[in-house]
Amino acid sequence: MENRSAYISIDGYVGVNKYGGLFFSLMISAYLLIVCSNSLIVYLVWSHPNLHEPMYVFIAALSVNSVVYSSTIYPKLLIDFLSEKQVVTHAFCLFQWFTYYNLGASEVMLLAAMAYDRYVSICKPLKYAMIMRRGNVVGILALVWLFPSGQMIVPQFLNARRKLCKFVFQGIVCNSSVHDLYCTSSAALTTYGLVVFINVVVLPVVFILYTYGRIFVMARRSAEMRRKAVKTCLPHLIVLINFTVFIAYDFLLLRFKSEHTKTVRFAITLQVIMYHPLFNPLIYGLKMDKIHRHIRKLLCNETTKYTAEI
């Protein structure tokens, strides 16, 4: 219990004493925009029967992920920007670490589910209703949220019992760099982490590439199939590329250890946690015709109502 309640100093901020108010204003605006834009996607999918299709349900699930992901990061950041000293308890750091990677793994598995949905829709249209029926969609959602959690809870439980020898964290969001704080390294946990990474990231990405490869091979048969493939698959591919960049950022940040890269790490981390949760609603809101039409209709109705009241 004493180890879990230990305080860790956060040494990843730059210019907080001078620009803390500016950072706070910027990040709270970004947080509100993330919550509102992703909640709008969820609301539209939930409230419109013509969006009760597997593809849109998965898009709504991505938006839920973005809101939960941001809600585990932004409140702590906002507190830190207004505090003289930035600290975090070991227990909360483990919780943030768990949600950070758990939701990231859930997202790549959701992208795999969406790739499979597009594969069945384009390559097996006659069997689509049977394969992607409601029960199967619910099962897929349960899998993408519970499977990563079940694997990642194990190392967090073990890390909670490990002894800390360092109490200064080089970053602003708890991630795998926390391993540097423990007195001894664990080869078993490192190996387990590699296995989990393969299960929840590498294999889903390979599956995504395989399904889209099959889709584009099939789409060569007719102009109509090519049009459908580009129209429905392009937004998912853009999001996948963005997610790959997000993973690459995280991988590189773990290797920026020297003091002169502190500003670089700080700037990149802020960009990742701002851009990534905003990217999904932006892409799907603009590129998915049904969602875009509902957004325009909603905004036009609200504008008309406001004008009438004036």
Side-chain angles (χ1 to χ4, degrees):
M1 179 64 69
E2 182 179 352
N3 190 47
R4 292 195 294 271
S5 61
Y7 281 92
I8 300 169
S9 178
I10 303 174
D11 189 35
Y13 289 97
V14 176
V16 173
N17 293 334
K18 187 176 182 180
Y19 301 109
L22 176 62
F23 289 147
F24 178 87
S25 300
L26 178 65
M27 298 310 289
I28 196 171
S29 298
Y31 180 51
L32 292 175
L33 186 58
I34 288 168
V35 172
C36 292
S37 59
N38 283 283
S39 298
L40 176 61
I41 298 295
V42 175
Y43 167 74
L44 291 175
V45 174
W46 174 75
S47 61
H48 292 88
N50 69 328
L51 296 181
H52 293 177
E53 300 175 11
M55 177 174 63
Y56 298 107
V57 172
F58 293 143
I59 291 174
L62 282 175
S63 292
V64 171
N65 260 25
S66 294
V67 172
V68 177
Y69 167 83
S70 300
S71 296
T72 61
I73 294 177
Y74 275 81
K76 182 64 174 68
L77 286 180
L78 295 174
I79 293 173
D80 287 342
F81 286 137
L82 298 181
S83 302
E84 292 185 5
K85 293 183 178 181
Q86 293 77 39
V87 296
V88 63
T89 64
H90 183 215
F92 182 81
C93 198
L94 289 178
F95 168 74
Q96 192 176 69
W97 181 8
F98 170 76
T99 55
Y100 182 80
Y101 287 111
N102 180 48
L103 293 174
S106 296
E107 179 150 343
V108 73
M109 292 186 69
L110 275 171
L111 292 174
M114 295 166 75
Y116 179 69
D117 173 75
R118 292 300 84 204
Y119 166 75
V120 176
S121 175
I122 295 173
C123 300
K124 300 181 179 181
L126 298 180
K127 297 181 179 180
Y128 181 80
M130 179 184 69
I131 295 176
M132 299 304 295
R133 58 183 183 271
R134 183 175 180 179
N136 289 346
V137 172
V138 173
I140 290 173
L141 288 176
L143 178 66
V144 300
W145 278 322
L146 296 179
F147 181 70
S149 298
Q151 296 196 60
M152 294 185 183
I153 195 66
V154 175
Q156 301 311 312
F157 177 77
L158 296 176
N159 284 329
R161 297 171 175 269
R162 295 173 68 187
K163 184 179 180 182
L164 292 168
C165 282
K166 299 179 182 178
F167 296 88
V168 178
F169 174 66
Q170 303 295 328
I172 62 174
V173 177
C174 292
N175 53 24
S176 293
S177 296
V178 177
H179 279 302
D180 296 337
L181 304 180
Y182 296 114
C183 299
T184 58
S185 60
S186 173
L189 281 176
T190 301
T191 303
Y192 181 83
L194 179 61
V195 172
V196 172
F197 178 77
I198 292 173
N199 287 341
V200 300
V201 176
V202 176
L203 293 180
V205 168
V206 171
F207 178 77
I208 291 171
L209 296 177
Y210 170 77
T211 53
Y212 279 125
R214 292 290 302 274
I215 288 172
F216 289 122
V217 168
M218 183 71 68
R220 295 171 59 185
R221 296 182 179 180
S222 69
E224 177 62 23
M225 292 186 69
R226 285 196 297 271
R227 185 193 66 81
K228 183 178 181 181
V230 171
K231 184 178 180 180
T232 62
C233 296
L234 184 59
H236 306 320
L237 287 174
I238 293 174
V239 171
L240 177 62
I241 293 171
N242 177 68
F243 186 79
T244 303
V245 173
F246 167 71
I247 294 176
Y249 273 161
D250 185 73
F251 180 81
L252 292 173
L253 284 173
L254 295 179
R255 281 145 184 80
F256 286 162
K257 300 295 184 181
S258 60
E259 183 64 26
H260 71 275
T261 59
K262 185 176 180 180
T263 302
V264 176
R265 288 188 287 110
F266 178 64
I268 291 179
T269 303
L270 288 185
Q271 291 182 61
V272 169
I273 63 179
M274 286 176 62
Y275 296 160
H276 184 66
L278 283 172
F279 195 77
N280 290 350
L282 177 64
I283 290 298
Y284 291 122
L286 294 176
K287 293 295 184 180
M288 304 302 288
D289 289 342
K290 286 186 179 181
I291 294 179
H292 185 62
R293 285 199 297 269
H294 282 301
I295 292 176
R296 290 181 59 186
K297 183 178 180 181
L298 179 64
L299 294 178
C300 289
N301 287 342
E302 290 299 323
T303 301
T304 302
K305 185 185 298 184
Y306 176 75
T307 304
E309 290 177 353
I310 293 178

